[in-house]
Amino acid sequence: MSAALLTDDAPTARKSTLPSDVRVTLPRVVRSEWLKFWSLRSSYFSIAGMVVAMIGLSVLVSTVTSSHWTRMKPAQQARFDPTAVSLRGYFLAQLVVGVLGVLVVTGEYGTGMIRSSVSAAPRRLPVLIGKAAVFAVITVLVTTVAAVVAFLVGQQILSSQHIETTLGAAGVTRAVLGTGFYLTVVGLLGTGIGFIVRSTAGSIATLFGLLLVLPVLGEALPPDWADKINPYLPSNAGQQLLEAHPAPAPMLGPWAGFAVFCGYAVVALVVGAVLLKRRDA
Amino acid sequence: MIEVVGATKRYGDRVAVDDLTFTVKPGIVTGFLGPNGAGKSTTMRMIMGLDAPTGGDVRVNGKHYAEHTAPLREVGALLEARAVHTGRSAYNHLRAMALTHGIPRSRVDEVIDLVGLGDVARKRVGGFSLGMGQRLGVAVALLGDPATLVLDEPVNGLDPEGVRWIRHLLRSLAAEGRTVFVSSHLMSEMALTADHLIIIGKGRLIANTPMAEFTEQASGKVVRVRTEDSARLRELLAGPEVSVTAVERGVLEVHGLSSTAIGLVARDNAIALDELTPVVASLEEAFMDLTKDAVEFGVHDDTERKAS
């Protein structure tokens, strides 16, 4: 208990005077969001989860592949893609990134923190921009580094069978760096959905419904419809960037597909921004 | 200064606040009183720009909340539900709030000291008791050294020591010339703290009055008279604004006349009085009386239920 509680002296709320330039600016809100990100345990767990998923799965899949290589059928060997084998961890990492992207927002709605956030920045848009920017910068760095390490470690393991590839080979650098971009946009899509749906469970269900369930449903479409729709489904479009040898038409090219994928995230963030502005907090 | 002009808030069909108009002045503590569900929290949320009014206008220090360039400098708020991420420490919560405005770290330390959270500031808020949560809320409210304070039920969950501390704090904040607007559903709490009362029920304004006047009205309302000659006195006192009830043989309760007036009537008519007592109704009773029609989730009368 502090002395203020025990004395009868009326406490005074002011000791020092605040600087004269105290006011809300976008860079300040971004700095606040940066501190918010790093002051929660879940951020560290998620980042650790991403890295372990990327590198751990690369080690696992590369090791299993090398040890089976001599027993694999020629057809299997022909389909073998050393880049994809070492980046297989993206599939698990996207779950972690997606959940983190959602939690950055819904963690605040769930606890009531969002009311503090929007009362400190009542124009509200800086809150969304700050969250998206901080999340994107941290995630793109972490996932890109994790993807590069996963690739290098995987190739090192595959080199025991002389089946490795290098960053200089066609499409490989694009696929490795693209993994970081793809994962970051998965998270941003989650952030946008978080602002729209506001509940953690609902947002995660929506995000992975879009990413994982839609492509499965798309495969059930009649062929002439499938060719028109499937290339544009979010993960079908976005994952083209992860392939050193992208699937041919009607699937979109790697950058065109990624642009479509970014479009989904932009739409989610814009709708989220409009709702954040309009709805009661 | 808080100005609420014809504010209305509808959630679907439910009207939470209905054409509410009042002004909260600086330099005094203004109590905001009403039964649960009266619309106090909604009104405060409109002041803080969290909920947009369906109609009317709500301004604080002359502007809509969102128009202020440094809102934490203008208005400090403690809102009812805890608005803090449970996974973050109190210190980091305050730092995050301070960073949005460029408020220095030294001010964060200062408000932590002020509310007495020094020992637990580095602990996660999820483990805080209700009272500690309220202290953190007060620290956030004071962070920007604001001209106006909006506090929703600040004594909730505080121990007696904490309640006394809040009272002191509110009075000294008002004495420094700030606008202090505090809600409560307890009249007894307000009676000790507030200089002015705004009472609402079912989203409508019921009373907007200085505390002293409210106390006066509440206490002078009923006078108890004991006399042998009660029947004659009763006739003499009768008037359009006056009601007299006989509570027992020889005892009257008079509404609408002061004890002085009754004494004069008795003297002029040579009626001997055995007792003449202004009955001091408690402020709580006066408040209940005022808001009894406006209790949202009131307990229904037993007879009413039996009849149906």
Side-chain angles (χ1 to χ4, degrees), chain A residues 10-13, chain B residues 29 167-178 180:
Chain A
T12 173
Chain B
V29 177
R167 258 180 234 149
H168 270 288
L169 181 70
L170 295 179
R171 301 223 60 97
S172 67
L173 289 167
E176 289 167 3
R178 300 175 210 255
V180 182

Side-chain angles (χ1 to χ4, degrees), chain A residues 97-116:
Chain A
V97 174
V99 169
L100 182 61
V102 164
L103 274 182
V104 162
V105 181
T106 60
E108 293 214 356
Y109 278 102
T111 55
M113 177 70 203
I114 192 71
R115 287 195 290 277
S116 292

Side-chain angles (χ1 to χ4, degrees), chain B residues 187 197 199 209-218 283 286-287 290:
Chain B
M187 183 65 216
L197 278 184
I199 303 178
T209 167
M211 190 71 218
E213 234 167 72
F214 185 81
T215 314
E216 207 172 284
Q217 281 173 6
L283 291 178
F287 168 57
L290 210 51

Side-chain angles (χ1 to χ4, degrees), chain B residues 99 136 144 211:
Chain B
L99 278 173
L136 174 57
M211 190 71 218

Side-chain angles (χ1 to χ4, degrees), chain B residues 210-288:
Chain B
M211 190 71 218
E213 234 167 72
F214 185 81
T215 314
E216 207 172 284
Q217 281 173 6
S219 50
K221 267 188 169 164
V222 182
V223 182
R224 219 172 129 88
V225 191
R226 188 188 295 270
T227 173
E228 297 286 308
D229 217 352
S230 63
R232 195 155 71 91
L233 182 63
R234 188 174 183 161
E235 271 167 38
L236 289 164
L237 293 176
E241 297 291 306
V242 183
S243 76
V244 183
T245 45
V247 284
E248 59 183 92
R249 215 183 128 77
V251 180
L252 301 175
E253 277 193 0
V254 184
H255 288 252
L257 278 177
S258 69
S259 52
T260 318
I262 297 167
L264 288 173
V265 171
R267 186 201 63 190
D268 293 348
N269 295 280
I271 296 170
L273 299 182
D274 301 321
E275 184 194 337
L276 181 62
T277 325
V279 179
V280 183
S282 77
L283 291 178
E284 202 69 48
E285 279 170 42
F287 168 57
M288 298 288 249

